[in-house]
Amino acid sequence: MKVLVVGANGQIGKHLITYLNGHTSIEARAMIRDEVQASFFKENGAEVVVCDLEEDVPVIAEAAKGCDALVFTAGSGPHTGKDKTLMVDLDGAVKTVEAAKVAGIKRYVMISSFDTTRAAIQEAPEGFAPYVVAKHYADEWLRATDLDYTIIHPGRLTNEEPTGKVEAAEKVDRDEVARADVAKVILAVLEQDATIGREFQVVRGDVDVEEAVRNL
């Protein structure tokens, strides 16, 4: 399986690339915005394709051509404005879904937000609400397709060292989770076809990642 990692230069994306380095059955292709970012990925055994997420669907589809799966780990970040939230977390996500269809890719893994329900939008602080709205509609768009999707809803992301242990279920108590452990969850999802058509929340816990994903 060859996987296009969208948002590869982000923290979750970089962790995922390192985990895929040398994997026996999954190869990585890193989608980055600038060639100057390429050395890290090449050193970690990944193919590199330069493509901006704000490009049109056919351009993104060309970047995805030849891949069997697409993982969306991109995010506008906490310090950008509503415009970038719209362009990356909503429009960018939707375009990658459409690009996957054009490229003939069926497997799609989305990194979403912890809670993207309508209730979460209403309860979100003013500055965070646009992000939740963007993720809500991106998730809805993906659910409406016939892609073999999985939607992962991580808790508050941290840069703590990975423990390799999480709690994962359709609903869990809100908590934090290391970005590196989220990347491990993505890898486990790619390895387990039983996660197709599923979505779940994930936070730090005491169950090995592979087992937690297997028990969903």
Side-chain angles (χ1 to χ4, degrees), residues 25-54:
S25 60
I26 305 177
E27 301 175 62
R29 179 184 295 170
M31 184 171 128
I32 56 176
R33 286 184 299 175
D34 196 319
E35 183 66 35
V36 300
Q37 302 168 339
S39 60
F40 171 87
F41 304 100
K42 292 178 180 178
E43 289 167 6
N44 279 278
E47 288 184 12
V48 172
V49 61
V50 178
C51 179
D52 195 311
L53 193 54
E54 295 188 22

Short mmCIF file of all heavy atoms in Angstrom, two decimals, residues 25-54:
data_model
loop_
_atom_site.label_atom_id
_atom_site.label_comp_id
_atom_site.label_asym_id
_atom_site.label_seq_id
_atom_site.Cartn_x
_atom_site.Cartn_y
_atom_site.Cartn_z
N SER A 25 4.84 -3.26 4.57
CA SER A 25 3.76 -3.31 3.58
C SER A 25 3.15 -1.96 3.24
O SER A 25 2.26 -1.90 2.40
CB SER A 25 2.65 -4.25 4.07
OG SER A 25 2.11 -3.79 5.30
N ILE A 26 3.60 -0.89 3.87
CA ILE A 26 3.06 0.44 3.60
C ILE A 26 4.20 1.39 3.26
O ILE A 26 5.15 1.53 4.02
CB ILE A 26 2.27 1.01 4.80
CG1 ILE A 26 1.16 0.04 5.23
CG2 ILE A 26 1.66 2.36 4.44
CD1 ILE A 26 0.39 0.50 6.45
N GLU A 27 4.08 2.04 2.11
CA GLU A 27 5.04 3.06 1.68
C GLU A 27 4.41 4.44 1.83
O GLU A 27 3.19 4.58 1.73
CB GLU A 27 5.44 2.86 0.22
CG GLU A 27 6.06 1.53 -0.10
CD GLU A 27 6.30 1.40 -1.59
OE1 GLU A 27 7.08 2.21 -2.15
OE2 GLU A 27 5.68 0.51 -2.21
N ALA A 28 5.23 5.46 2.03
CA ALA A 28 4.73 6.82 2.22
C ALA A 28 5.12 7.72 1.06
O ALA A 28 6.23 7.64 0.53
CB ALA A 28 5.27 7.40 3.52
N ARG A 29 4.19 8.58 0.69
CA ARG A 29 4.48 9.70 -0.20
C ARG A 29 4.08 10.96 0.55
O ARG A 29 2.92 11.12 0.95
CB ARG A 29 3.71 9.61 -1.51
CG ARG A 29 3.99 10.81 -2.45
CD ARG A 29 3.13 10.75 -3.71
NE ARG A 29 3.47 9.59 -4.53
CZ ARG A 29 2.75 9.20 -5.58
NH1 ARG A 29 1.63 9.86 -5.90
NH2 ARG A 29 3.11 8.15 -6.28
N ALA A 30 5.02 11.84 0.79
CA ALA A 30 4.78 13.06 1.56
C ALA A 30 4.39 14.21 0.63
O ALA A 30 5.14 14.53 -0.30
CB ALA A 30 6.02 13.44 2.35
N MET A 31 3.24 14.80 0.87
CA MET A 31 2.82 15.98 0.11
C MET A 31 3.21 17.23 0.89
O MET A 31 2.75 17.46 2.00
CB MET A 31 1.31 15.96 -0.14
CG MET A 31 0.81 17.10 -1.02
SD MET A 31 -0.92 16.89 -1.48
CE MET A 31 -1.58 18.50 -1.00
N ILE A 32 4.11 18.03 0.29
CA ILE A 32 4.62 19.22 0.95
C ILE A 32 4.43 20.43 0.04
O ILE A 32 4.23 20.29 -1.17
CB ILE A 32 6.11 19.06 1.32
CG1 ILE A 32 6.95 18.73 0.07
CG2 ILE A 32 6.28 17.98 2.38
CD1 ILE A 32 8.44 18.65 0.33
N ARG A 33 4.50 21.62 0.63
CA ARG A 33 4.26 22.85 -0.14
C ARG A 33 5.50 23.38 -0.81
O ARG A 33 5.41 24.14 -1.78
CB ARG A 33 3.69 23.93 0.79
CG ARG A 33 2.26 23.73 1.19
CD ARG A 33 1.77 24.90 2.02
NE ARG A 33 2.53 25.04 3.27
CZ ARG A 33 2.38 26.03 4.13
NH1 ARG A 33 1.53 27.01 3.87
NH2 ARG A 33 3.09 26.06 5.24
N ASP A 34 6.68 23.02 -0.28
CA ASP A 34 7.92 23.63 -0.76
C ASP A 34 9.03 22.59 -0.80
O ASP A 34 9.21 21.82 0.15
CB ASP A 34 8.31 24.79 0.18
CG ASP A 34 9.35 25.70 -0.43
OD1 ASP A 34 10.29 25.19 -1.06
OD2 ASP A 34 9.23 26.93 -0.27
N GLU A 35 9.77 22.58 -1.87
CA GLU A 35 10.86 21.62 -2.04
C GLU A 35 11.90 21.73 -0.92
O GLU A 35 12.57 20.72 -0.59
CB GLU A 35 11.54 21.86 -3.40
CG GLU A 35 12.65 20.88 -3.74
CD GLU A 35 12.16 19.46 -3.93
OE1 GLU A 35 11.04 19.28 -4.45
OE2 GLU A 35 12.92 18.54 -3.56
N VAL A 36 12.03 22.90 -0.30
CA VAL A 36 13.02 23.05 0.76
C VAL A 36 12.70 22.18 1.97
O VAL A 36 13.56 21.93 2.83
CB VAL A 36 13.15 24.53 1.21
CG1 VAL A 36 13.58 25.41 0.06
CG2 VAL A 36 11.86 25.04 1.83
N GLN A 37 11.46 21.70 2.06
CA GLN A 37 11.06 20.83 3.17
C GLN A 37 11.38 19.36 2.90
O GLN A 37 11.18 18.51 3.76
CB GLN A 37 9.55 20.97 3.40
CG GLN A 37 9.08 22.39 3.72
CD GLN A 37 7.57 22.52 3.64
OE1 GLN A 37 6.88 21.73 3.01
NE2 GLN A 37 7.04 23.55 4.30
N ALA A 38 11.89 19.05 1.71
CA ALA A 38 11.94 17.66 1.24
C ALA A 38 12.95 16.78 1.95
O ALA A 38 12.75 15.56 2.05
CB ALA A 38 12.21 17.64 -0.26
N SER A 39 14.05 17.34 2.44
CA SER A 39 15.15 16.50 2.92
C SER A 39 14.72 15.57 4.06
O SER A 39 15.10 14.39 4.08
CB SER A 39 16.32 17.38 3.38
OG SER A 39 15.93 18.24 4.42
N PHE A 40 13.93 16.05 5.00
CA PHE A 40 13.49 15.22 6.12
C PHE A 40 12.79 13.96 5.62
O PHE A 40 13.03 12.85 6.12
CB PHE A 40 12.55 16.01 7.04
CG PHE A 40 11.88 15.18 8.10
CD1 PHE A 40 12.50 14.95 9.32
CD2 PHE A 40 10.63 14.60 7.87
CE1 PHE A 40 11.89 14.16 10.29
CE2 PHE A 40 10.01 13.82 8.83
CZ PHE A 40 10.65 13.60 10.05
N PHE A 41 11.93 14.13 4.64
CA PHE A 41 11.11 13.02 4.16
C PHE A 41 11.92 12.03 3.35
O PHE A 41 11.75 10.81 3.47
CB PHE A 41 9.92 13.57 3.38
CG PHE A 41 9.11 14.54 4.20
CD1 PHE A 41 9.27 15.90 4.03
CD2 PHE A 41 8.25 14.08 5.18
CE1 PHE A 41 8.56 16.79 4.82
CE2 PHE A 41 7.54 14.95 5.97
CZ PHE A 41 7.69 16.32 5.80
N LYS A 42 12.82 12.54 2.53
CA LYS A 42 13.68 11.66 1.75
C LYS A 42 14.59 10.85 2.67
O LYS A 42 14.83 9.66 2.45
CB LYS A 42 14.49 12.47 0.75
CG LYS A 42 13.65 13.08 -0.36
CD LYS A 42 14.48 13.93 -1.32
CE LYS A 42 13.61 14.52 -2.42
NZ LYS A 42 14.39 15.39 -3.35
N GLU A 43 15.08 11.49 3.73
CA GLU A 43 15.93 10.79 4.69
C GLU A 43 15.17 9.71 5.44
O GLU A 43 15.76 8.77 5.97
CB GLU A 43 16.53 11.79 5.69
CG GLU A 43 17.58 12.71 5.08
CD GLU A 43 17.92 13.88 5.98
OE1 GLU A 43 17.41 13.92 7.12
OE2 GLU A 43 18.70 14.76 5.54
N ASN A 44 13.83 9.86 5.50
CA ASN A 44 13.00 8.87 6.18
C ASN A 44 12.28 7.95 5.20
O ASN A 44 11.24 7.37 5.52
CB ASN A 44 11.99 9.58 7.09
CG ASN A 44 12.60 10.00 8.41
OD1 ASN A 44 12.72 9.20 9.34
ND2 ASN A 44 13.00 11.26 8.50
N GLY A 45 12.84 7.82 4.01
CA GLY A 45 12.39 6.81 3.07
C GLY A 45 11.11 7.09 2.33
O GLY A 45 10.54 6.17 1.71
N ALA A 46 10.62 8.32 2.37
CA ALA A 46 9.35 8.65 1.72
C ALA A 46 9.57 9.27 0.35
O ALA A 46 10.56 10.00 0.13
CB ALA A 46 8.54 9.61 2.59
N GLU A 47 8.66 8.99 -0.57
CA GLU A 47 8.59 9.77 -1.80
C GLU A 47 8.14 11.18 -1.43
O GLU A 47 7.51 11.38 -0.40
CB GLU A 47 7.56 9.17 -2.76
CG GLU A 47 7.95 7.88 -3.41
CD GLU A 47 6.88 7.45 -4.42
OE1 GLU A 47 6.00 8.28 -4.76
OE2 GLU A 47 6.93 6.30 -4.85
N VAL A 48 8.45 12.13 -2.27
CA VAL A 48 8.05 13.51 -2.03
C VAL A 48 7.33 14.06 -3.25
O VAL A 48 7.77 13.85 -4.39
CB VAL A 48 9.26 14.40 -1.69
CG1 VAL A 48 8.86 15.87 -1.63
CG2 VAL A 48 9.88 13.97 -0.36
N VAL A 49 6.22 14.74 -3.02
CA VAL A 49 5.53 15.46 -4.09
C VAL A 49 5.24 16.86 -3.58
O VAL A 49 4.78 17.04 -2.44
CB VAL A 49 4.24 14.73 -4.53
CG1 VAL A 49 3.25 14.60 -3.38
CG2 VAL A 49 3.60 15.44 -5.71
N VAL A 50 5.57 17.86 -4.38
CA VAL A 50 5.35 19.25 -4.00
C VAL A 50 3.99 19.69 -4.55
O VAL A 50 3.77 19.69 -5.77
CB VAL A 50 6.46 20.16 -4.53
CG1 VAL A 50 6.18 21.62 -4.17
CG2 VAL A 50 7.81 19.73 -3.97
N CYS A 51 3.09 20.04 -3.65
CA CYS A 51 1.74 20.44 -4.04
C CYS A 51 1.12 21.23 -2.90
O CYS A 51 1.08 20.76 -1.76
CB CYS A 51 0.89 19.22 -4.36
SG CYS A 51 -0.81 19.59 -4.84
N ASP A 52 0.62 22.41 -3.19
CA ASP A 52 -0.03 23.25 -2.19
C ASP A 52 -1.48 22.81 -2.04
O ASP A 52 -2.18 22.59 -3.04
CB ASP A 52 0.03 24.72 -2.62
CG ASP A 52 -0.29 25.67 -1.47
OD1 ASP A 52 -1.31 25.45 -0.78
OD2 ASP A 52 0.46 26.63 -1.26
N LEU A 53 -1.94 22.70 -0.82
CA LEU A 53 -3.31 22.28 -0.55
C LEU A 53 -4.34 23.26 -1.10
O LEU A 53 -5.51 22.91 -1.26
CB LEU A 53 -3.51 22.09 0.96
CG LEU A 53 -4.75 21.37 1.45
CD1 LEU A 53 -4.90 20.00 0.79
CD2 LEU A 53 -4.71 21.22 2.96
N GLU A 54 -3.90 24.48 -1.40
CA GLU A 54 -4.83 25.46 -1.96
C GLU A 54 -4.93 25.36 -3.48
O GLU A 54 -5.63 26.15 -4.12
CB GLU A 54 -4.44 26.87 -1.51
CG GLU A 54 -4.58 27.04 0.01
CD GLU A 54 -4.38 28.48 0.47
OE1 GLU A 54 -4.54 29.40 -0.36
OE2 GLU A 54 -4.07 28.66 1.66
#
